[in-house]
Amino acid sequence: MNLKEKKYLLLDLDGVCYGKHNNYSLERVFGQVSKRMTQFISEKLKIDKDKAKELQTNYFYKYNTSLRGLMVHNGISPDEFLSYVHEIDLSFMKEDKIMRNELKQLDMEKFIFTNGSAEHAANILTHLGVYDLFGRDKVFDIKDAGYVPKPEAETFDLMVKKFGINPKETIYIEDIAKNLSIGHERGCTTVWLINDEHFGKIDADKDFISHKIENLSLFLKEIRLLKSN
């Protein structure tokens, strides 16, 4: 099945809905989140910030989210953690009218699949001026996943069940290449949004990636034009 026949668009949030392609580096948003994670871990576990940062990083690489490691090893409340770390300043982020136009015109059902919280997704997407094109019912977040992050198979399958989509009719876009492995396994057309983040590039050379792109809006336009012909 080629791109023009696909019915569903599945987007990661951080690094995909915003990134270098619309002049918002991941660091400008996630740098704030990361600092608040370090602060939270330091205060909760009563350790200095250097040790907190080291723990945060180690858990992220081992469990795909720092939160998962904190839950497994330290009994941290996920809701308290998520509420604290996502309290960030997005006043610099403006509406992306080009992306909005492409999303709105694209004849596909559109969904968000994130390891973050639904509240964080709403905050980001509202600032970008596209939240009304999704809404809460089209966001699958870490709470929906039972706090088990991507790319776990059980999480992907829960997402498919919630949205009622057929992976074989789905285009799935991620900035973290390795997260696409399960999507490919389930039959999605997988798309990696090229970036220079170390974690994002892991497995970027694997054959479970169907397409590599540099600009989300231009790729959406390409799909739209294919569908119109």
Side-chain angles (χ1 to χ4, degrees):
M1 184 182 289
N2 59 34
L3 292 175
K4 70 179 294 183
E5 295 172 323
K6 300 294 181 177
K7 295 180 180 178
Y8 310 109
L9 180 69
L10 185 64
L11 300 175
D12 176 44
L13 179 73
D14 296 298
V16 171
C17 292
Y18 67 89
K20 288 184 178 178
H21 56 282
N22 52 8
N23 299 315
Y24 298 126
S25 69
L26 185 62
E27 176 60 27
R28 196 165 184 187
V29 177
F30 210 76
Q32 295 184 64
V33 174
S34 181
K35 286 179 181 177
R36 291 188 67 79
M37 283 187 186
T38 304
Q39 182 70 30
F40 183 93
I41 294 167
S42 176
E43 292 178 1
K44 282 292 178 181
L45 303 186
K46 295 179 172 55
I47 57 178
D48 66 43
K49 287 188 178 181
D50 287 341
K51 289 181 179 178
K53 181 63 176 178
E54 182 181 357
L55 195 66
Q56 172 186 335
T57 302
N58 289 342
Y59 283 166
F60 180 73
Y61 275 90
K62 184 173 182 178
Y63 295 101
N64 295 303
T65 61
S66 300
L67 171 59
R68 187 65 181 167
L70 290 167
M71 291 175 66
V72 170
H73 296 287
N74 306 102
I76 291 296
S77 163
D79 290 341
E80 182 183 3
F81 175 87
L82 290 168
S83 177
Y84 184 89
V85 304
H86 287 143
E87 192 175 317
I88 57 175
D89 179 13
L90 295 178
S91 59
F92 66 89
M93 189 176 280
K94 309 303 179 187
E95 292 184 7
D96 185 336
K97 294 181 180 179
I98 295 173
M99 181 171 68
R100 178 181 175 81
N101 184 54
E102 293 302 336
L103 284 169
K104 194 170 183 180
Q105 291 190 79
L106 187 60
D107 184 23
M108 301 175 74
E109 282 196 69
K110 306 159 192 78
F111 305 93
I112 298 292
F113 184 26
T114 178
N115 276 341
S117 67
E119 292 78 13
H120 176 60
N123 196 15
I124 292 286
L125 296 172
T126 297
H127 277 82
L128 290 172
V130 297
Y131 186 56
D132 60 303
L133 303 180
F134 297 93
R136 176 63 182 95
D137 62 330
K138 291 191 176 180
V139 173
F140 185 96
D141 78 338
I142 196 66
K143 297 179 186 178
D144 293 319
Y147 303 103
V148 178
K150 298 181 287 184
E152 294 296 328
E154 62 186 281
T155 296
F156 188 90
D157 293 342
L158 281 171
M159 177 275 299
V160 168
K161 184 177 180 180
K162 175 180 176 175
F163 293 150
I165 62 177
N166 180 350
K168 293 180 180 179
E169 298 177 313
T170 300
I171 298 172
Y172 176 23
I173 307 177
E174 276 274 0
D175 68 315
I176 296 178
K178 71 172 190 166
N179 283 353
L180 292 167
S181 57
I182 184 61
H184 173 78
E185 195 175 303
R186 293 293 190 265
C188 292
T189 294
T190 55
V191 181
W192 182 52
L193 185 54
I194 297 168
N195 63 88
D196 292 325
E197 297 290 332
H198 173 70
F199 194 71
K201 293 190 294 185
I202 296 172
D203 290 345
D205 59 343
K206 296 296 176 65
D207 60 8
F208 58 69
I209 297 173
S210 310
H211 300 270
K212 295 180 181 181
I213 63 172
E214 294 185 348
N215 186 294
L216 176 62
S217 294
L218 287 178
F219 184 64
L220 297 179
K221 182 178 181 179
E222 180 184 335
I223 300 168
R224 174 172 60 81
L225 292 176
L226 283 171
K227 285 180 169 290
S228 66
N229 292 330

